Amino acid sequence: MKSADARVLGALHQHNKRPFDLAANLALLQQVPAELQLLHYTRQSIPEPYLRTFAYYHDKIGNIHLDALPETMQRELMFVIWRIIDVGGRVPCSTLGLLCRELAETSRRLKSLGLPSASLMDRTPGEWRTELNTTWARRIKALPNASTMRSIVGPLDRACKLLWFAYDDSPWWQREVWSLDMDLRIPRREQEPSRGYVMHWHDIDPEWLRRGAMFYTKTLLETGRASWTTAMGHKHSFRLFGTFVTERGIVSPRLDDDETKIRAIMMDFLSYDPLRRTSGRQRSHSSIGRITAAVRGLYEFMHDHGDDAAKATGDPRWVGLSPEYLRFWRPGDIPRSKKQKFTEDHLFSDQVLSRIAAQAPLLAAPQSEGGFGDPQAMRILLLMIATGRRVSEICMLDANPLFPVTGPEPEDGTRIAKLRYQQTKIEGAPETIFVDSEVIEIIAEQQRWLKSRLDDLGITDAPKYLFLKAHNNLHCRHHYYSHVFRRQMEKLVQRAELKDDDGQPLGLSQTHRFRHTKATSLINAGVPLHVVQRYMGHTTPEMTLHYAQTLDSTAKAEFLKYRKITTNGAGPELAPDDLYDLMALDSRTDRVLPNGWCTLPPAKSCDKGNACLSCDLFVTDERFLGVHEGELVSLDSLIGKRQEAHTARTGEPMSENHVWLSLRRREQRALGTIIQALKAPDRPTGPMKGLGTLSRAEADIAKAPRQVTG
């Protein structure tokens, strides 16, 4: 199987010209520190500050000698050694030394045949492999074994990839491979994902789609309208659409010369089996929606910016797309995704959380004692249990994420601080939460580990992250990867035989379950919804209600705890239990209003807009007293301003019969009645007519036709 570097190089060589240039070759050496511009990298010649970055696995072999190589290759290999060090890796002395020796022998042989090579870019890695094999066979009279060849090919592929990105000065978006690690010109947000640093465009055909999609995605990244993760999703969508148009024999971005056929083609795409099914399973509606949104977004962009796209891609067919390309799908064509209803199966019970916490030290225990030797994973797990943060937010915590809280100390002596986390999902959402002594101590323990790690490596610069990547991170610039943590969770479940309450293996790698559990526990503990919303980092209450599934028994008990009154100050006609069942609050969160509840039966629809205070199906209780008092103050102020504006405009005060004012007066009376009733703890439980509005039962009787007896 080809390595990742080999796949990248294959794509680059397939679609791009070989970028070697003598001036660029000379410029490579300008990036290498003078003390590392060596022809012989030995234990004696390597400067002391860099010695730890060279990996020696044998006492007698491993030195790297460049003196037998052509000068241009010498500069290339010096640059490669420096780049490996610069990105935080360790130079593999044994294998790189072997590669340099074989390259020198091969260069001499090719020169004797009149085929001199000045650069590693002169041939593809596959071609170099063939030449290296030939040189070995002529010298040893046998082909190198598989192990030896792997030792040569690995550093060869890596060196060629580093050199390609160093030589190629074309616009970053025109490369068939986009790599955040290799190309610092690519726009990126402060916190990018821990995976998916490379985007391969070469697997998209036809070319007109690939080039157009690359220009469109480049524009989204540059304007900040898409993150790298979103761009990755778009790219996968374009690959699926490319497969469709290739199978249909479509050869133009206009899809068909007859624009009346465009809608039929795009409707055909909606029924395309790979769009509907993936890996033998039905694709979700949300997945279909993301794919179609990317394709529609591409054509909307080309409709508006076809001239720019044609100039950048060299394809004039993007110019002048008609409005037909904006409406090839209509409302109702694309299936709408349904929000998943979270159940108790998505949560960890208290007993399960206790078992997980009890086995967490296994992650930190040394491997010699049967553990994982990964104390960072243990502390990440404990922080997820304690805070309910996303795993990416924990992995990317700043090295000093805690801020002191001003004010009097808590009477019970507990410590409180503010934790700042990296808000990676919802732009503009809160990014700090209050934490207690438990979280403070876990972070302090990780900070002590971090200091010890930095001291061992001789690093004096302040690190960026609290949790560090374990390998290829000698400069401590990269955070602990979330996908590594998930793998550790899978291993922990197997080794510790962690099971749920039904005896099934725990799904610890589904890290969002910790978040569901935390949100639910807060709501079940009676924490107000707006506080839970702020703590979870949500921008709307609906998001909190979606993620935090309140247990039915807790929700019902909380609802029944307080007496309910209607807008006329009376109690509801139904018993509290019947009222709760009528609203189906365990499944109908849309019945929860900012200032009470709506008791309209689920089978009926509301025709009053948002005029809840004038509706006798509205109920509220003591918990919303402050809200109603604020509403009354705001309403009084609004009426006063509107009356002043009306008088200034017409010269006369607004009549009490004015439609707008009469409705506001009605709301004033309702709020006054509600507030008065809520402040009277010993009020009678029977109906109290505050507005003179008939109850629902009385209204039905009044509307009923009279029975006439003969």
Side-chain angles (χ1 to χ4, degrees):
M1 180 181 292
K2 287 185 178 181
S3 67
D5 289 341
R7 291 194 295 272
V8 170
L9 287 164
L12 292 173
H13 277 279
Q14 179 182 355
H15 295 282
N16 301 81
K17 63 180 180 65
R18 297 176 187 180
F20 173 75
D21 176 77
L22 183 57
N25 179 270
L26 292 169
L28 291 178
L29 214 54
Q30 298 175 9
Q31 303 180 48
V32 182
E35 60 270 25
L36 276 181
Q37 296 180 19
L38 305 172
L39 291 177
H40 303 277
Y41 293 86
T42 68
R43 294 171 178 84
Q44 292 73 35
S45 65
I46 298 171
E48 178 62 30
Y50 296 102
L51 193 56
R52 65 184 178 85
T53 64
F54 287 78
Y56 285 97
Y57 302 107
H58 196 283
D59 293 336
K60 296 183 179 180
I61 63 174
N63 292 331
I64 302 172
H65 301 284
L66 308 180
D67 56 323
L69 290 166
E71 288 188 16
T72 49
M73 282 194 188
Q74 291 175 7
R75 289 190 283 268
E76 289 178 346
L77 270 300
M78 289 179 195
F79 172 79
V80 166
I81 290 172
W82 165 242
R83 279 292 288 147
I84 293 174
I85 296 172
D86 189 45
V87 299
R90 302 188 72 190
V91 179
C93 295
S94 299
T95 56
L96 191 56
L98 176 61
L99 171 64
C100 292
R101 187 191 76 185
E102 294 304 310
L103 280 174
E105 291 285 343
T106 301
S107 296
R108 281 195 292 268
R109 181 179 64 81
L110 291 173
K111 185 177 181 179
S112 67
L113 296 174
L115 301 170
S117 289
S119 167
L120 287 174
M121 297 289 97
D122 289 344
R123 290 173 172 80
T124 67
E127 292 168 345
W128 274 116
R129 261 193 303 274
T130 300
E131 298 296 344
L132 292 169
N133 268 325
T134 302
T135 301
W136 186 284
R138 290 191 177 186
R139 186 177 70 249
I140 308 298
K141 306 305 180 185
L143 289 172
N145 59 42
S147 176
T148 301
M149 206 60 214
R150 282 196 300 270
S151 299
I152 296 175
V153 168
L156 172 67
D157 288 345
R158 189 176 189 183
C160 289
K161 185 182 77 170
L162 291 170
L163 288 169
W164 186 289
F165 282 94
Y167 277 130
D168 185 12
D169 60 354
S170 61
W172 64 266
W173 70 270
Q174 291 183 359
R175 291 174 171 171
E176 300 293 332
V177 177
W178 295 358
S179 172
L180 291 180
D181 282 338
M182 294 291 101
D183 197 337
L184 298 179
R185 299 175 299 172
I186 300 176
R188 67 200 73 199
R189 297 182 180 181
E190 181 182 358
Q191 300 298 341
E192 286 295 352
S194 59
R195 301 191 75 179
Y197 282 109
V198 181
M199 199 179 302
H200 295 267
W201 289 95
H202 53 87
D203 56 3
I204 295 180
D205 284 315
E207 184 178 5
W208 59 262
L209 176 61
R210 180 171 68 253
R211 294 297 177 187
M214 290 167 68
F215 180 72
Y216 167 57
T217 307
K218 163 253 189 190
T219 306
L220 293 180
L221 289 173
E222 287 182 338
T223 57
R225 287 187 289 162
S227 65
W228 183 263
T229 304
T230 302
M232 285 284 290
H234 283 1
K235 181 261 168 183
H236 293 310
S237 302
F238 298 140
R239 182 175 62 179
L240 180 61
F241 185 62
T243 304
F244 167 77
V245 298
T246 300
E247 290 182 4
R248 297 300 187 275
I250 297 173
V251 296
S252 168
R254 309 186 86 84
L255 303 179
D256 196 284
D257 294 335
D258 184 356
E259 292 186 352
T260 62
K261 298 181 180 179
I262 294 173
R263 173 167 165 77
I265 292 173
M266 299 308 283
M267 290 300 293
D268 192 20
F269 177 59
L270 289 184
S271 60
Y272 185 48
D273 188 65
L275 175 66
R276 293 288 177 173
R277 300 178 61 81
T278 177
S279 302
R281 295 181 299 177
Q282 195 76 16
R283 195 187 294 270
S284 68
H285 288 176
S286 60
S287 177
I288 294 174
R290 286 191 294 269
I291 294 170
T292 53
V295 176
R296 179 162 48 195
L298 170 65
Y299 273 92
E300 289 175 351
F301 173 83
M302 292 303 183
H303 175 270
D304 297 334
H305 306 280
D307 293 339
D308 295 335
K311 186 181 301 182
T313 63
D315 191 338
R317 295 174 295 180
W318 287 115
V319 177
L321 295 184
S322 72
E324 291 299 321
Y325 294 89
L326 299 178
R327 51 177 179 252
F328 47 68
W329 290 320
R330 298 169 186 168
D333 288 343
I334 299 171
R336 298 184 62 181
S337 60
K338 298 179 180 179
K339 286 187 177 181
Q340 181 183 10
K341 175 178 168 54
F342 292 106
T343 65
E344 296 182 35
D345 295 337
H346 291 84
L347 311 176
F348 293 125
S349 67
D350 292 341
Q351 295 78 10
V352 168
L353 285 179
S354 297
R355 292 199 292 270
I356 295 172
Q359 295 297 333
L362 187 62
L363 292 164
Q367 294 181 355
S368 59
E369 299 176 9
F372 293 82
D374 191 352
Q376 295 192 105
M378 176 191 71
R379 289 188 276 275
I380 292 173
L381 175 60
L382 295 177
L383 285 176
M384 290 190 66
I385 295 174
T387 66
R389 306 314 331 147
R390 301 178 182 90
V391 61
S392 59
E393 295 168 350
I394 298 293
C395 288
M396 290 192 288
L397 284 174
D398 295 334
N400 295 291
L402 294 177
F403 298 90
V405 176
T406 58
E409 293 288 335
E411 296 181 359
D412 58 1
T414 58
R415 290 184 296 164
I416 298 177
K418 264 191 175 182
L419 173 68
R420 180 182 181 275
Y421 59 91
Q422 300 295 347
Q423 176 56 262
T424 59
K425 187 174 181 181
I426 307 170
E427 217 172 337
E431 55 183 19
T432 60
I433 57 171
F434 288 103
V435 293
D436 58 12
S437 303
E438 177 188 4
V439 173
I440 294 172
E441 182 51 40
I442 294 173
I443 291 175
E445 184 179 337
Q446 176 62 19
Q447 288 173 328
R448 290 191 289 270
W449 179 93
L450 179 61
K451 184 179 184 304
S452 174
R453 170 79 170 174
L454 297 176
D455 291 343
D456 291 343
L457 295 174
I459 296 176
T460 57
D461 295 335
K464 181 176 181 179
Y465 298 107
L466 180 64
F467 295 97
L468 298 179
K469 178 185 175 185
H471 305 289
N472 293 325
N473 192 23
L474 287 178
H475 303 309
C476 298
R477 297 173 183 168
H478 304 291
H479 60 78
Y480 194 108
Y481 287 175
S482 58
H483 70 275
V484 174
F485 176 76
R486 290 190 179 94
R487 281 204 302 265
Q488 295 290 63
M489 293 300 99
E490 292 173 356
K491 295 176 183 177
L492 178 64
V493 169
Q494 294 175 357
R495 190 171 302 182
E497 298 183 351
L498 286 170
K499 300 183 183 298
D500 59 21
D501 294 330
D502 296 325
Q504 299 298 317
L506 275 178
L508 281 191
S509 61
Q510 300 170 359
T511 55
H512 223 66
R513 294 178 67 181
F514 290 105
R515 187 166 174 80
H516 301 328
T517 302
K518 184 65 177 181
T520 301
S521 65
L522 290 174
I523 289 183
N524 290 343
V527 178
L529 182 63
H530 71 279
V531 177
V532 180
Q533 175 189 338
R534 174 66 175 77
Y535 184 89
M536 301 308 294
H538 294 151
T539 55
T540 64
E542 289 77 16
M543 294 176 67
T544 306
L545 290 168
H546 175 65
Y547 280 99
Q549 176 63 35
T550 307
L551 303 182
D552 183 31
S553 56
T554 304
K556 188 169 185 176
E558 185 70 15
F559 181 82
L560 299 179
K561 186 189 301 184
Y562 300 92
R563 58 184 180 176
K564 305 294 182 292
I565 64 170
T566 64
T567 54
N568 59 10
E573 298 174 1
L574 294 175
D577 290 85
D578 296 335
L579 186 65
Y580 180 87
D581 294 336
L582 171 69
M583 293 188 293
L585 283 182
D586 60 327
S587 59
R588 292 294 303 277
T589 56
D590 59 327
R591 297 295 181 194
V592 182
L593 305 174
N595 53 357
W597 293 267
C598 173
T599 63
L600 183 72
K604 295 186 177 182
S605 60
C606 177
D607 59 357
K608 291 184 176 292
N610 61 353
C612 296
L613 290 173
S614 61
C615 177
D616 63 325
L617 290 171
F618 171 79
V619 298
T620 186
D621 62 29
E622 292 93 320
R623 286 172 290 180
F624 298 99
L625 176 59
V627 176
H628 295 310
E629 289 176 332
E631 288 177 328
L632 183 57
V633 171
S634 299
L635 185 58
D636 291 343
S637 175
L638 175 63
I639 292 174
K641 291 179 180 178
R642 287 291 294 270
Q643 286 179 322
E644 290 177 3
H646 187 277
T647 301
R649 187 175 67 254
T650 65
E652 298 180 357
M654 185 182 295
S655 169
E656 290 294 325
N657 293 327
H658 191 283
V659 174
W660 182 87
L661 184 59
S662 63
L663 290 174
R664 301 295 82 76
R665 293 298 189 199
R666 187 177 183 184
E667 292 171 4
Q668 273 184 319
R669 292 194 298 272
L671 282 170
T673 303
I674 289 171
I675 293 170
Q676 181 181 2
L678 292 178
K679 286 185 174 181
D682 56 347
R683 68 170 180 82
T685 58
M688 296 174 60
K689 298 293 188 292
L691 289 174
T693 303
L694 295 176
S695 70
R696 178 71 53 152
E698 293 170 329
D700 290 342
I701 293 173
K703 293 177 182 178
R706 293 177 178 272
Q707 295 289 333
V708 180
T709 58

